[in-house]
């Protein structure tokens, strides 16, 4: 489990197709505190650490199944050397829950359809897949590329999020452009409420 609070911006150092896709990700994390088999959310995708090292910088390796590639933006905007990623370590018992409960299981891919500045902040509009739009509500939570965010407004399948300057600096959201494919995980609570309503 994760919280959607980004704690590092990683960088893809190498990508290799070995049956599954294998990626090496540079990080500022202390790799001495990471175990083989640990889960790290990379742009919102929960991936398992399979190797660690520190030459020439701290890094960890992950394998990405064909299913994960197809279900996320990895398959639409293939990770390449230099690509920056939002990273989050798995939640530990006793950690502060600063965002919301995030599983790291991406539900679908949203598209950035518009963006404009509002003072120092940036308002970004996304188009969600039709089957996921009903789980997105104004003032509700949503996870986009691993970041826990608050939805400002919803119009059908299009919804807006306001990015404050801190978020744009502390995550990769300062790099966003219209047309980008974004990993979307809807709020688990919204999913359960919708499921319960089917039996009400």
């Amino acid at each position: 489990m994760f919280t959607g609070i980004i704690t590092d911006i990683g960088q893809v150092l190498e990508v290799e197709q070995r049956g599954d896709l294998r990626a090496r990700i540079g990080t500022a994390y202390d790799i001495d505190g990471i175990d083989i088999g640990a889960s790290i959310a990379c742009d919102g995708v929960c991936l398992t650490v399979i190797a660690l090292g520190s030459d020439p910088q701290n890094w960890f390796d992950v394998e990405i199944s064909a299913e994960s590639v197809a279900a996320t933006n990895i398959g639409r905007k293939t990770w390449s050397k230099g690509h920056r990623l939002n990273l989050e370590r798995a939640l530990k018992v006793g950690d502060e829950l600063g965002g919301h409960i995030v599983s790291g299981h991406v539900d679908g891919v949203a598209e950035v359809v518009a963006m404009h500045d509002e003072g120092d902040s940036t308002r970004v509009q996304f188009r969600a897949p039709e089957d996921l739009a009903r789980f997105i509500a104004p003032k509700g939570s949503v996870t986009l590329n691993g970041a826990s965010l608050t939805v400002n407004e919803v119009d059908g399948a299009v919804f807006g999020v306001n990015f404050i300057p801190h978020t744009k600096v502390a995550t990769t959201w300062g790099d966003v452009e219209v047309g980008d494919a974004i990993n979307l995980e809807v709020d688990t609570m919204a999913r359960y409420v919708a499921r319960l309503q089917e039996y009400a």
Side-chain angles (χ1 to χ4, degrees):
M1 287 298 204
F2 305 91
T3 68
I5 302 300
I6 305 306
T7 52
D8 185 27
I9 298 177
Q11 186 174 53
V12 176
L13 302 178
E14 298 175 13
V15 179
E16 184 179 2
Q17 193 74 50
R18 296 187 188 177
D20 286 334
L21 188 68
R22 180 165 176 156
R24 176 161 295 178
I25 300 170
T27 181
Y29 291 146
D30 178 3
I31 60 170
D32 290 335
I34 300 174
D35 295 326
I36 299 296
S39 295
I40 298 179
C42 304
D43 263 2
V45 184
C46 178
L47 297 172
T48 301
V49 174
I50 61 169
L52 296 158
S54 58
D55 182 24
Q57 66 181 93
N58 289 354
W59 55 263
F60 62 91
D61 282 358
V62 294
E63 286 178 323
I64 309 160
S65 69
E67 180 180 353
S68 294
V69 171
T72 68
N73 64 5
I74 299 170
R76 303 187 188 199
K77 185 178 180 181
T78 304
W79 289 359
S80 58
K81 186 174 182 179
H83 181 67
R84 301 198 323 149
L85 302 167
N86 290 324
L87 301 181
E88 183 187 358
R89 299 281 308 273
L91 184 65
K92 296 178 182 177
V93 174
D95 283 354
E96 179 181 351
L97 182 58
H100 71 283
I101 295 295
V102 174
S103 70
H105 300 153
V106 173
D107 293 303
V109 177
E111 179 188 359
V112 177
V113 294
M115 55 190 299
H116 62 272
D117 291 333
E118 295 182 353
D120 292 330
S121 298
T122 302
R123 179 67 57 92
V124 180
Q125 290 185 306
F126 304 86
R127 180 176 291 108
E130 291 292 338
D131 61 330
L132 298 177
R134 67 192 183 106
F135 299 113
I136 301 172
K139 306 309 175 188
S141 296
V142 68
T143 308
L144 297 170
N145 278 359
S148 172
L149 298 161
T150 300
V151 176
N152 287 92
E153 74 280 339
V154 177
D155 182 7
V158 175
F159 65 97
V161 173
N162 188 62
F163 291 90
I164 62 173
H166 171 78
T167 303
K168 292 188 288 184
V169 171
T171 70
T172 62
W173 282 104
D175 304 337
V176 68
E177 296 179 350
V178 171
D180 283 354
I182 305 297
N183 290 327
L184 167 65
E185 180 182 332
V186 298
D187 188 1
T188 301
M189 297 289 285
R191 185 180 291 282
Y192 280 119
V193 168
R195 183 66 172 163
L196 288 170
Q197 286 178 336
E198 293 177 8
Y199 293 94

